[in-house]
Amino acid sequence: MGSTTSLSRSGSFGSRSLRDAAFDGGAGSQAAGHFEFQRSTTEDDEDELKWAAIERLPTYDRLRKGVLKHVAGGGAGEVELQEIDVGKLGGTERKLLIESLLKVAEEDNEKLLRRIRHRTDVVGIKIPTVEIRFEGLSVEGDGYVGVSSLPTLLNFVVNTFQGILGFCRVFPTKKRVVKILHNISGIVKPSRMTLLLGPPGSGKTTLLKALSGKLDNNLRVSGRVTYCGHEFHEFVPQRTCAYISQQECHLGELTVRETLEFSGRCLGVGTKYDLLAELSRREKEAGIKPDLEVDAFMKATSVTGQENHLVVDYVMKLLGLDICADIIVGNEMRRGISGGQKKRVTTGEMLVGPAKVFMMDEISTGLDSSTTYQIVRFMKQMVHIMDITMVISLLQPAPETYELFDNIILISENQIVYQGPRDNVLDFFEYVGFKCPERKGVADFLQEVTSKNDQKQYWSKPEETYRYISVPDFVMFFNSFLTGKKLDEELAVPYDRSMKERYGISNKDLLKACFLREMLLIKRNAFLYIFKTMQLTIMSIICMTMFFRTTMHVGHLGDGNKFYGALFCSLLNIMFNGVSELMLTTQRLPVFYKERDSLLYPAWAFALPIWVLRVPISFGESLIWISLTYYTIGFAPSVDRYFKQFLAFVCINQMAQGLFRSIAAVARSVVIAPVIGMFTLLVVFVLGGFIIAKDDIQPWLIWGYYISPMMYGQNAIVINEFLHERWSDPNPDPRILEATIGKAILKVRGMFVENKWYWISIGALIGFTMIYNICFVIALTYLDRKLSISSHSNGNVTWICNNDAIALAQ
């Protein structure tokens, strides 16, 4: 019952405190018999009284007592509640409890696991995950080749004698170096079902043993394998990882139940008892009462040293072994269970333990496709819901079984050809030049496409002559493929060995807190936003009086210049209204850096509320401007044109705010930020297409025109106006090769003359907005506060100004 509080004491990976022990216990319990919790809705008085009586017991007694339904009169009587000792459950009671939780295993197991996960989440216990990394892993050994490798008596004697002489350096040995795995790297992620595929002899078993720390001592291993950054010498991998061999090795005299119960008794319950104690404490503090049957189930599976363990009944129910529970396993001399059932017993021996990682080698041997599918489906539920790390090696999985996996590791000739999402594996081989036929199983295709004899039939580039693509060539292609590059990037980032939460609360709560604070700041700075709104209102009134509709005529090329000027005036005011973000952001940066460095929140939690909560402000400001100016100036009298101009103004305003926020985050100074901001505005205006038309820009500078966000905003509003039907009169100027006056006006100014460019411009503005805000987050994340803004010397003391802060250096 001892609490596992360190690697050296427990012999298992993880758990350095009671909370961490509860974490690992929750993880181990997934494999050892999955418990179920839920908040009770029963208001029965007897139910409440019996539970209250158990709650008053001391901790040790409380964790061994449960309440179960009991049928009085042997089966036909009234159902009553009975207090029981979970460590002394009889066979009938265990069976009834399992049947009540898993009436139909195929349907109820997933529900049970989800209720377990929900239960642990409700009380704030987070189940940890184990990520396995292997980098530069190579395995090789010495072996005889040719005739000398045959297992004959003569070869045994000769090889033994030669080995002794070779050890004494008297006679050279005939052993040759055999490479089993060659310089492979990858990541096995938790909560992802990983399928290991490869032809026989490719190194699948060796890889699984290497990842589980069970390689033979006579093999030479280079590279490193880590569990969450910890190497094997730092913990006992056998307590964390369970390797399930493809060979069935059991005592034929024992029944299935006896075999599994012995395994479960020796493996123990891990830290499930500590988890139970922590859950019970938190439930009691929160006033949560678990479901009585499920509470009894958990307590029964947390008691160590039991001869008849409830988790065995659960695993047998899950694997379909309950029908042969009391039949001997059998061997060559004793008739017992079938080969497929023996394979399931091999799997069940490890599932009854507290392991967090499972390496399953050819678990489908002797099983039909339907049974294999069901078992893999159960494993998938465990992996996805309970965050298990699992790799399953299968030789020829059926298509429906193959679809259950999330990731694929394809190994051939001792090298990994592909590792990544299942959805991308066919794209990779099409990238190389091979395509899987429609009626061909993907798993079979993957194992044949690397074979020299079978590869040619899948060649999909008729314009190119087929050539044999070797495994090293496939590895080279994979390293240049998107999935391979992403894997290399992930391996380049070292794992955080501390395994501690970086922030005090969850990301959701962090974001909620930052949103609430930003709303409060907007409320407290209401005067500023009201002043901006009034300023914009006054400017819109001035603009509409300058371009009043009584002086705005339509129908001639010259008339378009006035409307063009009015649109540019509107664009200018909407953009300049976002300049306030420059100073607002710069002034808040010193406080942000202090809070960021204290790990109050990450940069994205600070930036996202600012971005999102400015969107309604942009809507309001744009609505005020367009409501006062659109019809008073006399723009195109069309409702859809009205709303399209409104959308363009919103996007322009959001783009400008994002631009100035990113400038403030990069400059980080109230002195430098305005300078950079004004210079950026100057460049954007000059290259925006109004001051200098597109046709007048030098060819070597035309790229600046296309990267200017103002150009896209200007194109959107002028296309919306001048492609209206009222500007569709014939063009009288033969020098301009456009059919209508509206298109002629656009052509003279170097604007686009097709309606599609309105939506292209809107998309570009949205893209610029996202880019600027992402740059804002990146700058906040990686840049530090500005230190050397100005310095003043006073004797031996130097004052270094930093915005609002002053650092004193001696």
Side-chain angles (χ1 to χ4, degrees), residues 250-297:
H250 308 288
L251 290 175
E253 295 82 1
L254 297 180
T255 65
V256 172
R257 182 186 299 276
E258 291 167 346
T259 302
L260 297 182
E261 285 179 346
F262 179 81
S263 177
R265 191 173 184 180
C266 293
L267 290 173
V269 297
T271 55
K272 286 187 283 187
Y273 184 86
D274 300 303
L275 171 67
L276 177 63
E278 181 69 7
L279 284 175
S280 178
R281 182 186 66 81
R282 296 191 184 190
E283 278 184 343
K284 190 174 182 179
E285 292 178 353
I288 299 175
K289 183 181 69 176
D291 182 90
L292 297 179
E293 292 179 341
V294 179
D295 179 69
F297 177 82

Side-chain angles (χ1 to χ4, degrees), residues 333-352:
M333 302 300 295
R334 291 175 179 268
R335 183 179 180 180
I337 59 178
S338 66
Q341 291 170 333
K342 286 183 181 179
K343 174 59 68 175
R344 281 177 275 172
V345 171
T346 304
T347 304
E349 279 185 307
M350 294 295 104
L351 288 180
V352 297

Side-chain angles (χ1 to χ4, degrees), residues 19 47 55 64 97-98 204 210 344 357 370 391 406 421 445 555 557 568 588 719 751 774:
R19 177 183 173 90
D47 182 342
E55 287 287 275
R64 297 182 67 92
L97 182 55
I98 291 296
K204 299 192 300 295
R344 281 177 275 172
V357 180
S370 176
V391 180
D406 303 306
F445 162 76
L557 288 175
F568 181 75
R588 292 181 58 179
I719 288 174
M751 299 290 119
I774 291 173

Side-chain angles (χ1 to χ4, degrees), residues 291-432:
D291 182 90
L292 297 179
E293 292 179 341
V294 179
D295 179 69
F297 177 82
M298 179 184 182
K299 291 176 178 177
T301 53
S302 301
V303 180
T304 59
Q306 295 183 86
E307 293 184 4
N308 301 312
H309 210 287
L310 187 64
V311 70
V312 172
D313 295 85
Y314 172 78
V315 172
M316 289 194 300
K317 180 77 172 179
L318 208 62
L319 298 178
L321 294 173
D322 50 338
I323 60 175
C324 59
D326 298 319
I327 300 176
I328 63 172
V329 176
N331 52 28
E332 295 81 0
M333 302 300 295
R334 291 175 179 268
R335 183 179 180 180
I337 59 178
S338 66
Q341 291 170 333
K342 286 183 181 179
K343 174 59 68 175
R344 281 177 275 172
V345 171
T346 304
T347 304
E349 279 185 307
M350 294 295 104
L351 288 180
V352 297
K356 180 66 176 173
V357 180
F358 291 90
M359 300 291 168
M360 299 184 176
D361 192 6
E362 298 290 354
I363 63 171
S364 62
T365 304
L367 301 179
D368 60 89
S369 59
S370 176
T371 305
T372 302
Y373 174 82
Q374 289 297 338
I375 292 177
V376 174
R377 182 167 170 263
F378 289 142
M379 297 302 104
K380 179 179 181 179
Q381 294 168 357
M382 183 190 307
V383 168
H384 283 186
I385 300 173
M386 305 306 292
D387 293 338
I388 293 290
T389 303
M390 185 176 293
V391 180
I392 300 179
S393 169
L394 298 177
L395 184 59
Q396 290 180 312
E400 60 271 16
T401 303
Y402 172 83
E403 294 294 328
L404 293 174
F405 290 89
D406 303 306
N407 288 353
I408 301 294
I409 298 178
L410 179 60
I411 187 170
S412 181
E413 298 180 11
N414 316 323
Q415 299 185 67
I416 290 181
V417 175
Y418 175 85
Q419 180 187 358
R422 172 179 55 83
D423 297 333
N424 297 341
V425 64
L426 293 181
D427 295 336
F428 165 68
F429 283 101
E430 290 183 8
Y431 166 76
V432 178

Side-chain angles (χ1 to χ4, degrees), residues 712-728:
Y712 294 99
Q714 189 163 245
N715 267 284
I717 57 178
V718 297
I719 288 174
N720 180 62
E721 170 62 27
F722 290 112
L723 292 187
H724 186 258
E725 59 184 9
R726 69 174 183 166
W727 297 97
S728 60

